[in-house]
Amino acid sequence: MDGDGERYGDLPRVRQPPTNPDFVQNPYPFYDRARELGPLVYWEDYGLPATTTFEATNEFLRDRRFGREEPVELATPPPSHVKPFHEIETHSLIQAEPPRHTRLRGLVLRAFTSRRIGGMEPGIEALCNRLIDAFPDNEFDIIPAYCSPIPVIVIARLLGVPEEMTPQLLAWSNAMVAMYQARRDRGIEEAAATAGGEFSAFLRGYVERRRADPADDLITHLIAAGQAEDRLSPDELISNCILLLNAGHEATVHTLGNGIRALASQGPDPKWLSDRSIEFTVEEIMRHDPPLHMFTRFANEEVRKFGHRFRRGDRVACLLAAANRDPAEYSRPWDFDPGRWPGRHLALGAGIHFCVGAPLARLELRVALGTLFARLPRLRLARPARYANLYHFHGLERLTVTPS
């Protein structure tokens, strides 16, 4: 052991390159091997302790002594070539801790109401039917034809951005979220910075248009929140609009694709997609093959957990997907069982950073899956599914299906 690894000599060590082709296609055997060594292991490829069990992952996500913000005295300025990207991150809800997080989340939720989300259901169903109407009669890739357009169009409608902007929104989003992938390199960083700068500039102009011409959309309501006493600053408004698009789109695309693959592979039983059962099906899809496999946290103080001493500023990798396959929490966790009542899972996080868009994501998944298999009950895989090299996301590169 040498370098930073010397500090983690009390932890079992595991090695698994996250871009390895076999791991990309199926990371779960690695999680199982790591879990056998204990609830906390040292993942050499990341240079981080990593959780392997439901209990450990849940505890770290909920422990307020760990957070998303690096202690300010330990933080180093980002390189200049990624500055536009990090300027957005700085003001984002997902990177904030209390009291700033409490204020930002409250203001976003004030506009992101259950009434507003519930009112979108007829429009989502109509969008799904429109996309299905355009499917070819022979085999096709359902990711770009169905999974990808649904969440980006829904978020655009929610924000009040013209639907014709969705291809550009999608391009900016894809470039920015690539920054979180294990395959990140200088080219990805520069593309993300360019996308962040362009996306911010577009939204600043669009926000000004909405100030002059208010509408019943999320941007208008966030502007109103920005005029309150505990207001959103202009930078916070822009950053959190971008967050809603990027986080909401990426996760929902992958969950839809992973869910369609699972259901079509076993032959969907209509009872699992009925109004009475589809909520269970959606939760099982998220548990069994979640779209995000890792979230990291910083220690805000010296903490001893699971036998290891964390110093202020140390990071821990919370492996959500390993937690969701923990046999101590679930019976036969490797089986996809849409009739299973999952009880709880960590696909959407836990604690104060639990996904703010969870109600919208669940609505989109319920409507999109229910509509698809009601219209095409004989949908099946035409070729083996293939996952993309996106870790720590987990989603399909392609999913070739045939309607009958």
Side-chain angles (χ1 to χ4, degrees), residues 123-136:
I124 296 172
E125 185 174 358
L127 170 62
C128 293
N129 278 303
R130 187 183 88 198
L131 293 170
I132 294 168
D133 288 342
F135 285 175

Side-chain angles (χ1 to χ4, degrees), residues 36-49:
E36 289 176 358
L37 299 175
L40 195 65
V41 298
Y42 180 72
W43 192 345
E44 294 185 358
D45 305 84
Y46 276 99
L48 292 176

